[in-house]
Amino acid sequence: MLDQADPEMDLRALVEESEDFTVDTRVYTSPAIFDAEMRRIFLRTWVYVGHESEIPNPGDFRTSAVGRVPVIVTRDQTGAFHVLVNTCRHRGTVVCREERGNARFFQCPYHNWLYRNDGRLVQIPDSSGYPEGWAGRIGGLLEAPRIAVLYGMIFANFSQAGPSFDEYLGPLRRYVEYWFGHSPTGRVQVLAPFRASYPGNWKLQVENSTDGWHARYVHESALRTMHHFGTRSPAVGWPGATRAFPSGHGVLERPRDDLPPEVQPQFESFRSLLAETYGAEHAEAMFVRRQITLFPSFHLMEFKFRVIQPVAVDQTVIYEFPVRLEGVPDDVNAAILHRITREISISSGGPVSSFVNADDVEAFARVQSGLADSPVERIYFSRGLHREVIAPDGERTGESSDELPQRSIYREWRRLMHE
Ligand code: FES
Ligand SMILES: [Fe+2]
């Protein structure tokens, strides 16, 4: 579709890396590019669709999406996961409209075709209207051919080709292990999400989740308020680091130095618990605030999952799911929830209902309107390009204000869009 819309468009040239790293502004504004992204990126790589704690029992399901493909994530009667396309095989109706539930069967409301929770078509009303065995030829709801589960996170891949999940994760695995290691059992329970939407392209939030540079500017009023209440010092220097990986992943890490006084005792005992569990050195490496991008649309934030849902080229929904850690005392989980739902709601990385998120989505909306019909053709992600350090396994490291994770996003974006 992209090629038909604009046969002259050189996809590789949309992202250019030489002495500068620039991106063509049409990646935010072109409906044809957006359509191509949904197919070439979302249907060809690993996409987060849900967490096993949301569907703990046989028959549990939740609805979700892969790009704009609506899916039902189910646990069948044997306990196996399925990611089913939520589109009736008869004439295309969305089969399941519920967000979550428990069902052995899904019945399409239009002509009552009945599917089992593993996707198989099991009944067509008055099937004498078809030749013998006809339903068997249909099979059932389409299903993602590849699924991977890591720390309960369920990822779907609609392509048989391409890297395995382990290859896709690559050296990022270590940082994902640190993140989930905050639970001594490595298990978390995902709670109900916050939601927000904004009139801007989906990649604006993906870029922002590991952007260490913007906070002290765009969130200045929120941070000053924090300072006023004594819960955060003014930013000095750029402590922490950025990291970037093959497959589009990235990390922003900073010291966890913004804890409000009322939860500091619980966080101290939390830290001691981790030191007992892993040893002091490993616990120190873990006990860092890390915001991790799993390209294309999933982030591990400060004790939250953040899921980006593209809706249209200039319309996006954000979901943030707080997590409850297994294997830590209740007062620690309460302190974590306090931090992310109240205190941090006026601090960086807060829930989407917060002041901070309002600042960010306002910035995204201004980018979107700034680029619409603008003569500005390219934007810059060059900060820190000259000081990237590249390890043999492909991990790149930069300073915490560098646009290193953003470059990682667009390197993989270009690869998937072009290949
Ligand atoms: S469209 Fe689903 S049964 Fe007809
Ligand atoms: Fe922000």
Side-chain angles (χ1 to χ4, degrees):
M1 208 189 304
L2 175 64
D3 313 302
Q4 289 156 14
D6 186 352
E8 300 304 314
M9 194 181 288
D10 175 0
L11 286 171
R12 273 197 85 73
L14 294 173
V15 176
E16 275 181 354
E17 180 169 8
S18 53
E19 59 190 300
D20 269 315
F21 194 107
T22 65
V23 171
D24 189 306
T25 56
R26 287 174 296 178
V27 308
Y28 301 99
T29 59
S30 159
I33 291 178
F34 178 82
D35 287 343
E37 288 175 333
M38 295 304 107
R39 288 176 288 110
R40 295 186 188 190
I41 296 176
F42 282 85
L43 296 185
R44 292 170 62 213
T45 190
W46 294 92
V47 177
Y48 174 85
V49 291
H51 189 264
E52 66 179 11
S53 66
E54 296 173 297
I55 48 172
N57 302 308
D60 285 348
F61 69 87
R62 66 158 291 192
T63 45
S64 184
V66 175
R68 279 188 305 182
V69 176
V71 297
I72 319 172
V73 185
T74 69
R75 195 191 276 262
D76 71 19
Q77 299 314 115
T78 72
F81 296 123
H82 300 268
V83 178
L84 308 170
V85 176
N86 194 2
T87 304
C88 182
R89 294 297 308 282
H90 178 215
R91 275 160 50 189
T93 308
V94 169
V95 176
C96 177
R97 298 289 301 265
E98 306 295 322
E99 287 184 4
R100 281 168 79 157
N102 183 285
R104 292 173 75 97
F105 300 98
F106 297 101
Q107 185 164 50
C108 178
Y110 202 179
H111 311 89
N112 277 13
W113 283 27
L114 190 71
Y115 301 92
R116 214 164 55 190
N117 60 12
D118 61 3
R120 215 179 101 198
L121 175 61
V122 288
Q123 195 180 310
I124 296 178
D126 190 13
S127 59
S128 66
Y130 296 97
E132 186 77 20
W134 190 84
R137 285 213 324 262
I138 298 294
L141 297 173
L142 298 183
E143 181 168 4
R146 291 196 286 167
I147 288 183
V149 181
L150 178 69
Y151 291 111
M153 300 180 290
I154 305 167
F155 292 84
N157 193 326
F158 271 93
S159 171
Q160 287 282 15
S164 68
F165 184 77
D166 283 348
E167 290 165 338
Y168 156 85
L169 195 60
L172 183 73
R173 177 180 290 275
R174 179 164 142 227
Y175 299 95
V176 174
E177 284 172 358
Y178 281 151
W179 198 95
F180 281 91
H182 284 79
S183 159
T185 64
R187 295 174 66 87
V188 304
Q189 184 192 352
V190 169
L191 307 179
F194 304 94
R195 289 157 223 250
S197 61
Y198 64 88
N201 188 267
W202 64 280
K203 298 185 294 300
L204 294 168
Q205 176 63 86
V206 178
E207 295 162 8
N208 170 274
S209 295
T210 49
D211 182 335
W213 198 18
H214 75 293
R216 73 183 59 174
Y217 310 116
V218 81
H219 302 310
E220 185 184 359
S221 61
L223 297 180
R224 275 176 190 263
T225 308
M226 293 290 299
H227 182 49
H228 178 77
F229 286 103
T231 56
R232 186 164 175 137
S233 334
V236 178
W238 301 100
T242 47
R243 302 180 189 282
F245 303 84
S247 304
H249 310 315
V251 174
L252 169 63
E253 60 188 40
R254 286 169 297 172
R256 198 171 269 144
D257 60 358
D258 55 349
L259 296 169
E262 66 272 23
V263 296
Q264 273 173 7
Q266 292 86 342
F267 269 81
E268 267 319 304
S269 72
F270 182 21
R271 195 178 193 145
S272 309
L273 172 72
L274 296 180
E276 280 164 33
T277 309
Y278 300 103
E281 199 178 323
H282 189 88
E284 276 314 293
M286 279 177 53
F287 203 75
V288 168
R289 177 183 180 142
R290 284 200 178 82
Q291 297 170 197
I292 302 176
T293 298
L294 282 96
F295 183 86
S297 55
F298 181 68
H299 307 279
L300 296 167
M301 303 294 285
E302 179 77 332
F303 304 111
K304 291 176 299 183
F305 292 179
R306 177 182 278 172
V307 180
I308 315 303
Q309 175 59 57
V311 177
V313 67
D314 56 359
Q315 199 59 237
T316 304
V317 177
I318 312 164
Y319 296 91
E320 293 202 346
F321 299 80
V323 300
R324 185 179 170 80
L325 305 179
E326 194 181 280
V328 307
D330 286 347
D331 67 329
V332 170
N333 268 314
I336 288 171
L337 201 57
H338 174 83
R339 168 164 164 73
I340 61 176
T341 57
R342 258 174 277 170
E343 181 273 335
I344 216 172
S345 68
I346 50 170
S347 144
S348 156
V352 292
S353 56
S354 73
F355 295 172
V356 165
N357 177 258
D359 294 335
D360 283 327
V361 297
E362 174 64 17
F364 305 156
R366 289 195 196 189
V367 172
Q368 197 71 32
S369 55
L371 294 177
D373 299 318
S374 168
V376 170
E377 291 180 351
R378 301 194 78 86
I379 51 147
Y380 291 87
F381 289 103
S382 298
R383 187 175 172 86
L385 181 60
H386 63 292
R387 59 187 177 201
E388 287 190 4
V389 177
I390 308 179
D393 64 0
E395 176 176 340
R396 298 171 191 242
T397 315
E399 297 190 6
S400 66
S401 65
D402 287 352
E403 289 165 327
L404 178 74
Q406 292 72 28
R407 290 192 285 277
S408 176
I409 290 165
Y410 282 103
R411 288 186 186 112
E412 179 68 355
W413 186 95
R414 176 176 56 184
R415 188 186 73 78
L416 284 168
M417 290 291 280
H418 179 254
E419 273 180 6

